[in-house]
Amino acid sequence: MRDKGEYLFTSESVSEGHPDKVADRISDTVVDAFLAADPYARVACETLVTTNRIVLAGEVRGPETVTAEYLSHLARLAVHDIGYEQEGFHWKNATVECHLHAQSADIAVGVDAANNKDEGAGDQGIMFGYACTETDALMPAPIYYSHLILRRISEMRRAGDVRVKGLQPDAKSQVTLRYVDGKPVGATSVVVSTQHDAGLDQAQIKDLIRPIVLDALPSGWMPPDNELYVNPTGTFVIGGPDGDCGLTGRKIIVDTYGGAAPHGGGAFSGKDPTKVDRSAAYVCRYLAKNVVAAGLAERCTLQISYAIGVSHPLSVYVDLHGTGRDIEETKLERVLRELVNLSPRGIREHLHLNRPIYAVTSAYGHFGRTPDPDKNTFTWEKTDLVGSLKSAFGR
């Protein structure tokens, strides 16, 4: 985003009940099931959800105890947890098909460690991380508040709060912020579309949503009422996978930075942490966040690239967008490589990724979340490199 002048920037989020997010949740539930049984299992799971049908497909390598029947059961439990008990999509009544099969031997031989060869990357690709000072979570403000609005609605719905009675799991949000000289100063419009029970009209739903948006945004940021768009089509009764087919990996910008930073193109959900699409994107966020948290810059974009079967990254690139405080970016690139082993195995070990921690990442973004010290989740959001980075640059 620009550092000068005045402009508008928009990001969107979708709830855990959005069809694509239902698919992501199921795929990450499969990943967790395999990692719980074997921390070194390999999983590449894709899920399709549509009217009362769930289809799992992909490649796995793991214990035979993780059966198709067990995974089908877990898929139903995931849908139940999201809250789908609708005629067109019901956790109990949907047909579940499991077509997962063994991982390709050609991929396995390039990725596995053997003799003097370290574990290689599961594919070629580029991964990005980003952090900025726009929010306390060091995330871009538009995506942060888009997520926050939907999370508040979800928490209230799950708690049975009468203030959201009649709202269903499928929902989307969109927040447009006005920036002045690179800083967000207020919302010019907010869009919220939420599935609802028949009988609720648009005005009633807007009355439910307005206080939630007001509470989620910083004081003074609420847009005029005519710029709060709630269910703009008027009716949103048929939703979820019954209203629109859902697929794993179709919300990668929602998963990351809302378009405020580059994305390498690879999805996260459904992939075990040997896949650098996931693990390297996590470490990129980790490094970028620590740079900003250390006060070395107000904004940091970081890119890492890999080749399939090769253990070391081909490149590490840092851009501080002119906000670095007397920081030489080439030196920072070197320091970051010294602080963290950026091989696929090094990333997994540093961030403790070989654990069943992924279902919770599947909605409301993989970044900007609060680490749970008890469950050791969202380890890539920790700022434990701050001291080392300050020392390296004499701060």
Side-chain angles (χ1 to χ4, degrees):
M1 290 186 284
R2 298 195 295 268
D3 295 322
K4 301 295 182 182
E6 184 174 330
Y7 59 90
L8 305 180
F9 193 85
T10 304
S11 295
E12 72 157 346
S13 179
V14 298
S15 73
E16 77 264 37
H18 184 281
D20 295 328
K21 281 291 146 199
V22 175
D24 284 346
R25 169 66 179 275
I26 294 171
S27 291
D28 275 338
T29 297
V30 171
V31 173
D32 284 353
F34 275 98
L35 292 181
D38 177 2
Y40 301 101
R42 300 289 172 79
V43 184
C45 176
E46 313 293 342
T47 301
L48 176 149
V49 290
T50 186
T51 302
N52 271 332
R53 187 172 296 273
I54 301 167
V55 181
L56 310 181
E59 301 78 44
V60 297
R61 188 175 75 192
E64 293 182 356
T65 54
V66 185
T67 63
E69 292 76 15
Y70 179 55
L71 294 176
S72 297
H73 171 67
L74 292 181
R76 293 187 189 279
L77 292 182
V79 173
H80 179 266
D81 182 66
I82 292 169
Y84 276 112
E85 295 184 336
Q86 301 170 7
E87 182 179 353
F89 194 69
H90 196 295
W91 67 273
K92 185 183 294 184
N93 301 331
T95 298
V96 183
E97 302 174 28
C98 185
H99 301 286
L100 294 165
H101 60 81
Q103 182 190 50
S104 162
D106 290 345
I107 293 177
V109 73
V111 175
D112 291 346
N115 301 321
N116 294 323
K117 173 184 172 296
D118 195 4
E119 176 186 297
D123 201 353
Q124 70 177 47
I126 57 175
M127 297 83 206
F128 287 93
Y130 182 72
C132 63
T133 56
E134 293 180 16
T135 63
D136 290 342
L138 303 186
M139 286 288 288
I143 188 66
Y144 178 83
Y145 292 112
S146 294
H147 286 323
L148 184 57
I149 290 167
L150 293 186
R151 290 187 72 179
R152 294 272 175 87
I153 296 171
S154 173
E155 289 165 1
M156 294 170 71
R157 178 180 60 82
R158 287 171 172 271
D161 195 315
V162 295
R163 291 173 293 176
V164 294
K165 185 177 181 180
L167 300 189
Q168 293 293 328
D170 193 0
K172 301 177 73 172
S173 65
Q174 184 171 285
V175 173
T176 299
L177 298 185
R178 182 167 67 94
Y179 281 74
V180 177
D181 294 335
K183 306 293 184 182
V185 297
T188 60
S189 65
V190 173
V191 183
V192 179
S193 296
T194 176
Q195 186 186 15
H196 59 89
D197 290 348
L200 283 177
D201 63 31
Q202 187 180 33
Q204 290 173 309
I205 297 168
K206 187 170 184 177
D207 287 341
L208 298 179
I209 297 300
R210 186 185 293 106
I212 298 172
V213 174
L214 179 63
D215 183 61
L217 295 177
S219 177
W221 279 34
M222 189 71 175
D225 200 62
N226 64 344
E227 291 293 337
L228 174 60
Y229 301 94
V230 176
N231 285 14
T233 62
T235 301
F236 188 4
V237 173
I238 300 173
D242 186 32
D244 191 11
C245 178
L247 295 170
T248 301
R250 286 206 299 198
K251 288 293 177 284
I252 58 176
I253 301 304
V254 169
D255 285 343
T256 53
Y257 308 102
H263 192 294
F268 303 156
S269 291
K271 298 176 181 177
D272 74 77
T274 66
K275 278 70 170 176
V276 284
D277 276 343
R278 180 168 222 158
S279 56
Y282 287 175
V283 84
C284 283
R285 163 64 179 174
Y286 173 66
L287 295 176
K289 183 176 182 180
N290 275 270
V291 167
V292 174
L296 303 184
E298 292 184 11
R299 293 170 59 196
C300 178
T301 298
L302 191 142
Q303 184 207 59
I304 302 179
S305 68
Y306 292 88
I308 189 170
V310 178
S311 63
H312 62 273
L314 305 186
S315 64
V316 176
Y317 167 80
V318 173
D319 183 359
L320 300 180
H321 305 276
T323 69
R325 293 165 180 150
D326 299 320
I327 299 297
E328 183 182 342
E329 287 157 332
T330 53
K331 179 182 177 180
L332 181 56
E333 291 162 1
R334 185 173 66 254
V335 168
L336 293 174
R337 294 184 79 151
E338 292 170 354
L339 289 176
V340 179
N341 177 355
L342 296 177
S343 70
R345 177 161 57 184
I347 295 169
R348 289 190 295 101
E349 292 177 350
H350 189 94
L351 296 179
H352 308 288
L353 298 180
N354 283 102
R355 296 174 298 113
I357 56 173
Y358 297 105
V360 70
T361 70
S362 62
Y364 311 115
H366 294 243
F367 308 131
R369 308 288 289 274
T370 302
D372 185 331
D374 295 326
K375 299 179 181 178
N376 208 18
T377 55
F378 297 102
T379 54
W380 50 94
E381 292 295 319
K382 293 181 178 180
T383 52
D384 51 0
L385 296 182
V386 165
S388 298
L389 283 168
K390 286 183 175 180
S391 296
F393 289 91
R395 304 300 166 94

